[in-house]
Amino acid sequence: MTKNRNIFLIGPLGAGKSTIGRYLAQQLNMEFFDSDFEIEKRTGADIGWVFDVEGENGFRIREEKIIEELTKKNGIVLATGGGSIQSQKNRNCLSSNGTVVYLKTTIEKQLSRTKRDKKRPFIQQYKGESLYNALKKLAKERNPLYEQISDFIIPTDSQSAKVIVNQIISSIEDI
């Protein structure tokens, strides 16, 4: 049933989109894509470099192209970047081409999961309390957009990836 249906994972950084997406794709025998990884693969540079050289606007243009392309595929699991839903074009592509699952997490859990992360350009800009405030501001802006286009909301704070993947599969099979 899920074979020809795309599953798109949205949510803030540190929600577990990539980890859960890989495991979900494996369990469903589907192809997995991560929009940030696809950008890195095609530019030959990491996301931080793209942000440094092209700025956030340049990155978002690349992200729109990747998401438009990937959402046209069939039978994939796609983990999106946390800010991808800020684009109306991305929201339209995601909501019209598959099942959208919002992986919801708290700011405290985001901080805990990303404290050692050196790759995310967003985190590198902030330290300590200012990172908390920045994540809080992003949550206020983005959470309503995640909710707006999601078919399901799955909390990721206190459950293992395996349990979350089983919840996603169960929710999709109930459609």
Side-chain angles (χ1 to χ4, degrees):
M1 191 177 331
T2 55
K3 273 290 205 195
N4 294 323
R5 182 182 297 154
N6 293 323
I7 303 169
F8 305 131
L9 304 179
I10 62 171
L13 76 135
K17 299 179 300 287
S18 297
T19 301
I20 290 164
R22 274 187 210 90
Y23 187 60
L24 178 63
Q26 179 185 6
Q27 292 302 301
L28 295 173
N29 199 26
M30 295 169 72
E31 195 169 3
F32 173 71
F33 292 91
D34 180 306
S35 60
D36 285 349
F37 177 76
E38 288 299 312
I39 292 169
E40 288 181 340
K41 189 167 88 174
R42 293 170 192 207
T43 60
D46 67 21
I47 297 295
W49 182 88
V50 176
F51 264 80
D52 287 346
V53 173
E54 299 179 359
E56 184 172 359
N57 285 341
F59 172 80
R60 296 295 174 202
I61 290 167
R62 288 180 182 276
E63 185 177 58
E64 278 187 350
K65 289 177 185 172
I66 294 289
I67 288 177
E68 181 179 25
E69 176 188 321
L70 292 175
T71 56
K72 289 179 182 174
K73 292 182 174 285
N74 274 330
I76 69 161
V77 174
L78 171 64
T80 62
S84 64
I85 48 77
Q86 291 178 279
S87 158
Q88 181 67 51
K89 183 177 179 181
N90 286 344
R91 291 195 305 273
N92 290 344
C93 285
L94 293 166
S95 61
S96 63
N97 290 299
T99 301
V100 180
V101 180
Y102 170 20
L103 299 180
K104 190 171 185 172
T105 190
T106 61
I107 294 167
E108 291 75 18
K109 201 55 135 169
Q110 286 181 271
L111 289 168
S112 166
R113 290 176 178 158
T114 60
K115 64 184 166 197
R116 290 185 183 87
D117 197 320
K118 304 281 189 247
K119 284 191 72 179
R120 299 175 201 241
F122 178 78
I123 292 175
Q124 299 313 306
Q125 300 173 36
Y126 299 96
K127 300 286 182 239
E129 184 66 30
S130 65
L131 177 57
Y132 178 87
N133 290 334
L135 290 172
K136 192 173 177 178
K137 181 177 179 249
L138 286 179
K140 186 176 181 180
E141 293 169 6
R142 295 176 179 177
N143 287 355
L145 297 174
Y146 295 136
E147 291 171 7
Q148 176 188 60
I149 68 164
S150 65
D151 295 299
F152 304 103
I153 299 172
I154 308 280
T156 66
D157 280 1
S158 59
Q159 302 178 83
S160 70
K162 183 177 182 178
V163 169
I164 293 165
V165 164
N166 288 336
Q167 285 181 336
I168 293 169
I169 292 170
S170 176
S171 296
I172 290 170
E173 287 175 348
D174 286 346
I175 294 179

